[in-house]
């Protein structure tokens, strides 16, 4: 009938809700802000000390240059690993953070956690996310730095991931 769900089913439903919420937030933010991330990454790796000789002389100039030389799709270089990585990251983060909080609530037999345990829960979640998603971010950055446009970058995603795995010795 209409009785209460078993505790493990309720925990699974909460985990799924947290993961789906985080994944949706991550994917949405990447889709909206990825061009800024591409420009930021390219500006960060400029080796030229003299700004007048730099490929990009600022954010607006970088946007214009990328669009002129690579087309609008150049602003979306590395989009696939960024969406995958952010979706996984935020889904994992929300789930791990809420599971850690629930564990501390059970340990202390309270729903009201002190601030430091929220911080500890966030740290635990962040550690797990960094450990699991770092290879995705390496691939994303490599693809963002390829000045070949989105189509060529997409074909290199698999090769980049294989390179990251090989370099890690996996």
């Amino acid at each position: 009938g209409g009785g209460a769900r078993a505790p493990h089913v309720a925990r699974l439903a909460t985990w799924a809700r947290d993961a789906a919420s985080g994944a949706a937030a991550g994917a949405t933010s990447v889709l909206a802000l990825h061009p800024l991330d591409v420009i930021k990454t390219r500006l960060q790796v400029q080796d030229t000390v003299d700004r007048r000789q730099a490929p990009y002389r600022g954010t607006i100039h970088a946007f214009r240059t990328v669009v002129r030389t690579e087309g609008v799709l150049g602003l979306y270089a590395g989009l696939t690993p960024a969406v995958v990585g952010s979706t996984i990251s935020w889904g994992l983060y929300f789930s791990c953070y809420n599971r850690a909080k629930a564990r501390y609530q059970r340990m202390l037999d309270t729903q009201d956690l002190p601030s430091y345990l929220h911080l500890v829960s966030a740290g635990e979640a962040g550690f797990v996310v960094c450990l699991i998603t770092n290879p995705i971010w390496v691939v994303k950055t490599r693809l963002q730095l390829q000045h070949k446009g989105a189509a060529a970058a997409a074909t290199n995603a698999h090769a980049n991931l294989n390179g990251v795995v090989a370099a890690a010795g996996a």
Side-chain angles (χ1 to χ4, degrees), residues 135 139 142 159-170:
V139 171
R142 287 181 180 178
N160 270 296
L161 184 57
N162 286 338
V164 170
V165 171

Side-chain angles (χ1 to χ4, degrees), residues 32 35 56 111 127:
Y56 309 114
Q111 291 297 307
F127 177 79

Side-chain angles (χ1 to χ4, degrees), residues 129-155:
V129 168
C130 285
L131 192 65
I132 291 174
T133 62
N134 190 58
I136 297 169
W137 303 130
V138 172
V139 171
K140 177 199 72 134
T141 301
R142 287 181 180 178
L143 291 175
Q144 287 179 333
L145 295 174
Q146 293 178 356
H147 300 276
K148 299 174 184 173
T155 59

Side-chain angles (χ1 to χ4, degrees), residues 72-154:
V72 173
L73 290 180
L75 296 172
Y76 292 91
L79 180 65
T80 300
V83 169
V84 169
S86 195
T87 300
I88 291 170
S89 291
W90 286 108
L92 258 175
Y93 182 85
F94 275 47
S95 297
C96 291
Y97 174 71
N98 286 324
R99 286 184 63 101
K101 281 191 344 185
R103 184 176 67 248
Y104 292 123
Q105 288 168 335
R106 281 192 310 276
M107 286 171 48
L108 299 175
D109 193 28
T110 182
Q111 291 297 307
D112 245 356
L113 290 178
S115 299
Y116 77 91
L117 285 178
H118 286 277
L119 180 63
V120 170
S121 298
E124 288 179 26
F127 177 79
V128 170
V129 168
C130 285
L131 192 65
I132 291 174
T133 62
N134 190 58
I136 297 169
W137 303 130
V138 172
V139 171
K140 177 199 72 134
T141 301
R142 287 181 180 178
L143 291 175
Q144 287 179 333
L145 295 174
Q146 293 178 356
H147 300 276
K148 299 174 184 173

